[in-house]
Amino acid sequence: MPTLRSKLPEVGTTIFTVVSRRARELNALNLGQGYPDYPIDPRLTELITEALATGHAQYAPMEGLVELRERIAAKLARHYRIESDPGSEITVALGATEAIFSAILAVVQSGDEVIAFDPAYDSYEPAVRLAGGRCVRIPLTQPGFGYDWERIGAAAGPRTRLVLFNSPHNPACTVAGSADLEQLAALAERHDLLVLSDEVYEHMVFDGGRHHSVLAHPGLAPRSFAVFSFGKTLHATGLRIGYCVAPAALTAELRKVHQFNTFSISHPAQFAIAGYLAERPELGSELAAFFQAKRDRLCAALAGSGFVLPPAQGTYFQLLDFSAFAPPDDMAFAERLLSEGGVASIPLSPFYEQPPALPYVRLCIAKQDATLDAAGARLRAFAARLRRGC
Ligand SMILES: Cc1ncc(COP(=O)(O)O)c(C=O)c1O
């Protein structure tokens, strides 16, 4: 056996895979990993089948199918009133995950520092490290997962190259306001930073709130990669189609990595999504009401149970505050909830470099109403058992 030196020695299997595997073994309701348990729109299935039947099974263009990039530009114009050039500013990627990875590899050099906010989505730091950079992880403040812009400003220095921003935020379920984008823009301008804005939950903003895209901010758009996911927007995480929107110079660098990372992305899936967007140009507008109803259903099911559910501002997750029943050890509580309560959830600790004591676990609400009702009943029963002290 040759000597092996791992490039990511601390990285194990992700918490999502571990929890999903355990949920299957224990026959638990899986509100852990973020994916829908209901079918996709049958029309999308038809379009995918048609794409294969009509010969779209060979390589697609490296930067993405032109029909799809044009539809994406139209979608951006509709939602954010921005002009983007499908030729030089939009790249179709293998899910948002690949867009994030390729963008980081394209711009982070050895010795660069990258600011990320904890809790941070788990794919950010490994990409930075593989690029030879170092993540400087700054915790969001408690309560409420806010940004401490003074602390963030103090962390930026001559080596800082990139800020990783995520709104709506997974797993905090918060939505950044325009004041946060102003602060981010000022910071980026002061230190000449690039921004990677993860906006995969762009359409899932509740209670009349609105998503502020970096693309619509005059100070941020010229220095940002904005990353989106059709997996989220089409309830189809397995299609693995995402995209990155960035100024031409940044897009050119991103594509240099993308073309050797993946070469090109599923042609039939791109063709089908382009057709679907042609038929439904308003795609995305329906999602806030759809997921808000699911959030409210779960919150109502648990009202008075002792669990507190601070209503999610966005995403397709909802935090469950268990502080009435157990000490703030989210790993231990998630394990008990899974093995004794029959519900799989995701603790927040794995999203931190230095996990604080937090009394939350994350539940996925992208589930059939029947699943949410069954989970609500199991959670209520578990709360009753905890209250009785058994
Ligand atoms: C914040 C965030 N970014 C990126 C992704 C990855 O998206 P995709 O499935 O399109 O790769 C996810 C998926 O859960 C996510 O929650």
Side-chain angles (χ1 to χ4, degrees):
M1 172 82 177
T3 314
L4 178 66
R5 236 172 12 107
S6 172
K7 296 183 84 171
L8 296 170
E10 298 88 17
V11 171
T13 311
T14 72
I15 184 75
F16 310 112
T17 305
V18 171
V19 167
S20 288
R21 193 185 301 145
R22 294 261 298 133
R24 271 194 305 277
E25 282 164 14
L26 296 172
N27 207 15
L29 286 171
N30 191 354
L31 266 53
Q33 199 169 5
Y35 60 84
D37 70 345
Y38 44 83
I40 64 170
D41 184 342
R43 180 62 188 140
L44 183 56
T45 311
E46 260 172 34
L47 287 166
I48 294 168
T49 314
E50 271 172 40
L52 282 166
T54 52
H56 297 89
Q58 307 305 332
Y59 289 135
M62 174 276 285
E63 62 274 37
L65 213 58
V66 67
E67 293 87 338
L68 179 56
R69 284 180 287 124
E70 282 169 357
R71 293 287 165 202
I72 291 169
K75 182 173 181 302
L76 292 167
R78 184 180 194 101
H79 288 284
Y80 304 117
R81 297 201 174 83
I82 54 157
E83 294 279 316
S84 49
D85 175 14
S88 63
E89 296 179 332
I90 298 174
T91 308
V92 180
L94 202 155
T97 306
E98 189 258 318
I100 292 165
F101 191 83
S102 293
I104 290 173
L105 253 73
V107 298
V108 174
Q109 310 226 4
S110 179
D112 283 351
E113 289 183 355
V114 176
I115 291 178
F117 303 107
D118 278 359
Y121 186 63
D122 66 344
S123 80
Y124 300 160
E125 165 129 19
V128 171
R129 286 181 32 208
L130 288 172
R134 186 173 83 85
C135 248
V136 176
R137 298 179 61 159
I138 302 173
L140 297 175
T141 56
Q142 289 300 327
F145 300 97
Y147 292 88
D148 179 347
W149 287 108
E150 216 169 294
R151 181 168 176 186
I152 298 161
R159 287 170 175 255
T160 314
R161 178 83 185 125
L162 177 71
V163 183
L164 299 173
F165 195 70
N166 171 214
S167 178
H169 190 282
N170 173 22
C173 306
T174 51
V175 175
S178 53
D180 287 317
L181 265 80
E182 290 307 328
Q183 293 277 6
L184 178 63
L187 176 86
E189 199 168 321
R190 208 161 51 243
H191 296 275
D192 192 24
L193 307 179
L194 298 171
V195 172
L196 194 163
S197 182
D198 179 342
E199 305 187 13
V200 301
Y201 300 103
E202 59 174 329
H203 297 304
M204 300 160 200
V205 177
F206 309 140
D207 303 317
R210 107 180 156 78
H211 170 57
H212 298 276
S213 174
V214 292
L215 298 176
H217 189 287
L220 287 167
R223 55 175 77 244
S224 296
F225 297 94
V227 169
F228 303 89
S229 171
F230 281 117
K232 309 294 176 192
T233 302
L234 294 169
H235 314 276
T237 58
L239 284 184
R240 309 304 301 130
I241 305 285
Y243 53 100
C244 181
V245 187
L250 293 182
T251 294
E253 292 306 311
L254 168 91
R255 288 180 183 174
K256 288 180 193 173
V257 178
H258 165 77
Q259 71 179 337
F260 296 117
N261 186 4
T262 63
F263 177 51
S264 83
I265 307 304
S266 166
H267 195 161
Q270 289 191 63
F271 191 78
I273 294 174
Y276 194 76
L277 277 170
E279 291 176 13
R280 291 172 174 69
E282 74 295 347
L283 180 76
S285 309
E286 74 292 358
L287 293 181
F290 179 83
F291 285 110
Q292 185 174 324
K294 294 208 175 280
R295 177 202 69 176
D296 291 347
R297 190 176 189 101
L298 185 65
C299 290
L302 291 171
S305 67
F307 288 130
V308 175
L309 286 86
Q313 295 170 5
T315 74
Y316 59 31
F317 303 107
Q318 168 64 50
L319 294 182
L320 177 98
D321 179 337
F322 57 82
S323 51
F325 299 115
D329 178 345
D330 59 347
M331 296 296 282
F333 183 81
E335 176 53 32
R336 280 196 74 186
L337 180 57
L338 176 59
S339 56
E340 298 170 34
V343 177
S345 65
I346 296 287
L348 269 54
S349 290
F351 296 81
Y352 280 88
E353 183 176 55
Q354 290 174 332
L358 284 176
Y360 303 117
V361 291
R362 191 198 77 180
L363 302 173
C364 177
I365 54 173
K367 303 292 171 191
Q368 297 171 42
D369 287 350
T371 310
L372 293 175
D373 293 349
R378 286 191 187 188
L379 282 159
R380 280 196 89 84
F382 188 53
R385 279 179 50 195
L386 290 170
R387 203 174 302 112
R388 289 196 308 271
C390 54

